[in-house]
Every structure is written in C-alpha cells, then in structure tokens.
Amino acid sequence: VNVNNNIQPPSPSISRGGTIRNPHIDHRSPINANGDILMGIIVNAGTPSIEIVADYFDRNAGGEKGLIVMGDWREPSRLHGAAAVLSTGGNTYVRGVRIVGTAKGYPNILVNGEASRAVSCIADTIVGEAHNCLTNAQWIAGGGR
C-alpha cells in the first residue's frame, strides 16, 4: 500500500488525511528466488494525517484485523523483510497493529515524520515515537497469541 501525493497538481484534499482501518497483510512467501519480501504500508512525505488503526493489541485475542505477517529477511535478499509500516509523512498515527517477521535495514514500524507516533502496537522493531508498544515476545509472555 503506497500512500502518496502523486495526483498532479497535489490536491488540497490531501491535507485532510485518511485512514487505513484494520489492515491485514499476509506476505510470508517471497516474490522471487532471492527471498525478497515487499514492503507493507508506506506513507510518503507530503501525505499528512494518515491513520493506520486496528484493535489487535487491545483485544488480545488474535484474529486477522490489524495483523501484518511478513516473511523474515534472509540472504540473499536485497529488500528488507518485514518492513511493514513505514512513514515519513507528518502526523501519521499507527495504533493497535501487530507485525510478525524480522526486517533488516528498516524496522517493522517507522514513524519519523513530524508529530508521528505508534501507540499500543506489537512489533519487534519500532523507530520513532512509540507509546505502550510491546515486542512479540513481551506480548506472548503476557498471554497474547
């Protein structure tokens, strides 16, 4: 999923943002013999106020809403494995998603646009402002599955 402002000229409606609700991505198998796994959700700079929200963390019951399962990074891949939610857009809000898989070169969740944050997410690697997030091991140790 690539969120961008490629509409020319950029539409003023882009500043209102948008929501991706209850995403479910299952991309365990590589796309080629190198073991490449495509990135999940990318929010580009110039696309502010995007929300990626689910309730996976809160209900602690499994299921598919908010679950992003990606293949682990492996040699000789030139891509990044489970780089699932990557945002350089301002005011990106990621809440309640769970990422399963290992990444290399990127974290599972990246929120480095101005005023962006991840809240109540389950992911092994998060770069940027994060609150009340757990690794998969912590979540499972607390009774999650």
Side-chain angles (χ1 to χ4, degrees):
V1 177
N2 185 349
V3 180
N4 61 60
N5 64 354
N6 289 347
I7 301 169
Q8 294 299 322
S11 170
S13 65
I14 288 173
S15 65
R16 291 187 297 217
T19 302
I20 298 173
R21 190 173 313 282
N22 294 321
H24 174 70
I25 298 172
D26 190 333
H27 180 21
R28 298 173 210 212
S29 299
I31 60 168
N32 58 28
N34 286 339
D36 292 338
I37 300 292
L38 299 174
M39 292 180 170
I41 300 169
I42 302 165
V43 178
N44 291 280
T47 52
S49 302
I50 301 297
E51 296 182 337
I52 301 163
V53 296
D55 62 358
Y56 196 95
F57 185 95
D58 294 332
R59 59 190 172 134
N60 199 21
E64 295 184 350
K65 293 180 178 179
L67 177 62
I68 302 174
V69 180
M70 301 179 80
D72 293 331
W73 180 86
R74 298 184 202 278
E75 289 281 355
S77 178
R78 294 179 189 239
L79 297 182
H80 306 284
V85 177
L86 307 172
S87 176
T88 55
N91 199 35
T92 299
Y93 179 64
V94 182
R95 178 184 55 83
V97 298
R98 180 179 182 204
I99 315 302
V100 176
T102 59
K104 181 177 180 183
Y106 279 98
N108 297 131
I109 299 174
L110 170 77
V111 283
N112 71 352
E114 183 179 346
S116 294
R117 65 225 172 270
V119 177
S120 298
C121 293
I122 305 159
D124 292 333
T125 55
I126 300 174
V127 171
E129 188 176 331
H131 303 279
N132 195 38
C133 295
L134 299 173
T135 66
N136 282 285
Q138 290 169 326
W139 188 74
I140 291 168
R145 13 177 187 148

